[in-house]
Amino acid sequence: GAVVSQHPSRVICKSGTSVKIECRSLDFQATTMFWYRQFPKQSLMLMATSNEGSKATYEQGVEKDKFLINHASLTLSTLTVTSAHPEDSSFYICSAHGQMNTEAFFGQGTRLTVV
Amino acid sequence: AQSVTQLGSHVSVSEGALVLLRCNYSSSVPPYLFWYVQYPNQGLQLLLKYTTGATLVKGINGFEAEFKKSETSFHLTKPSAHMSDAAEYFCAVGFSGGYQKVTFGTGTKLQVIP
């Protein structure tokens, strides 16, 4: 299957700082990427949908000014958690779709810990 | 609107026993259905999917699932559990009109007892 690389896999940051997470499709062009957040022992909650070259579409309740998403190319989307707080600590996962795919390919996830 | 219900947040089976993870869905249009597996601190890996055609779908690692429209179910099975099957399993539903956006169930954690 297609490969999606997410980086970093783990990050610890201080409260008030910003953290950038990258999601790359390595062997296909991802027209759409999705960002999810997963709390411990819970399912994946969609945060936003990112289409290359356009603004991301955020799900209800997700602060777009706090979670900045950029999808500048067909192989890269980034999620920046701005002014991070301990409650932002979570597991963030991206997924990517190509035009011909019927399923999403997931990155390995990023464990964010805000101290 | 679409939704997914996974019955049982935790399932324990003995090694070599049948694995059955239940998933029921709700969708106003013909669904695409997926099962994903997640190992600790990792992303999701697709086990199998149903889009159209044969309702019995075979996936990786010996898993299979059957789409039953009348029961709105897509249960995941494996005849004989292996220790390496211990993980969290997510059922998800999408649809052909917007297959990229899927709704996930709450997950079932499978424990395999030696």
Side-chain angles (χ1 to χ4, degrees), chain B:
Chain B
Q2 53 196 30
S3 64
V4 177
T5 302
Q6 289 184 244
L7 293 176
S9 58
H10 288 79
V11 170
S12 292
V13 299
S14 298
E15 189 175 16
L18 171 72
V19 176
L20 171 61
L21 304 182
R22 299 179 185 273
C23 173
N24 288 88
Y25 70 91
S26 172
S27 177
S28 56
V29 297
Y32 283 6
L33 295 160
F34 309 87
W35 274 101
Y36 288 90
V37 60
Q38 184 182 33
Y39 296 98
N41 292 312
Q42 293 187 29
L44 275 67
Q45 180 183 8
L46 181 69
L47 279 177
L48 48 79
K49 65 180 179 182
Y50 168 80
T51 54
T52 58
T55 55
L56 181 62
V57 181
K58 295 186 184 296
I60 62 172
N61 301 338
F63 284 94
E64 62 182 36
E66 186 171 11
F67 169 58
K68 292 187 176 180
K69 184 178 179 180
S70 61
E71 299 177 8
T72 60
S73 68
F74 191 58
H75 302 328
L76 181 71
T77 60
K78 181 174 180 177
S80 177
H82 192 272
M83 294 299 294
S84 61
D85 294 327
E88 185 124 29
Y89 292 81
F90 291 94
C91 181
V93 60
F95 60 97
S96 59
Y99 58 79
Q100 304 95 327
K101 186 173 177 177
V102 298
T103 300
F104 287 86
T106 50
T108 298
K109 191 167 186 177
L110 177 65
Q111 180 184 22
V112 182
I113 303 167

Side-chain angles (χ1 to χ4, degrees), chain A residues 26-45:
Chain A
L26 298 185
D27 52 2
F28 69 102
Q29 292 184 328
T31 51
T32 305
M33 288 186 173
F34 299 88
W35 287 95
Y36 295 86
R37 183 173 181 177
Q38 186 180 31
F39 290 101
K41 300 181 181 181
Q42 294 189 29
S43 188
L44 284 74
M45 300 300 295

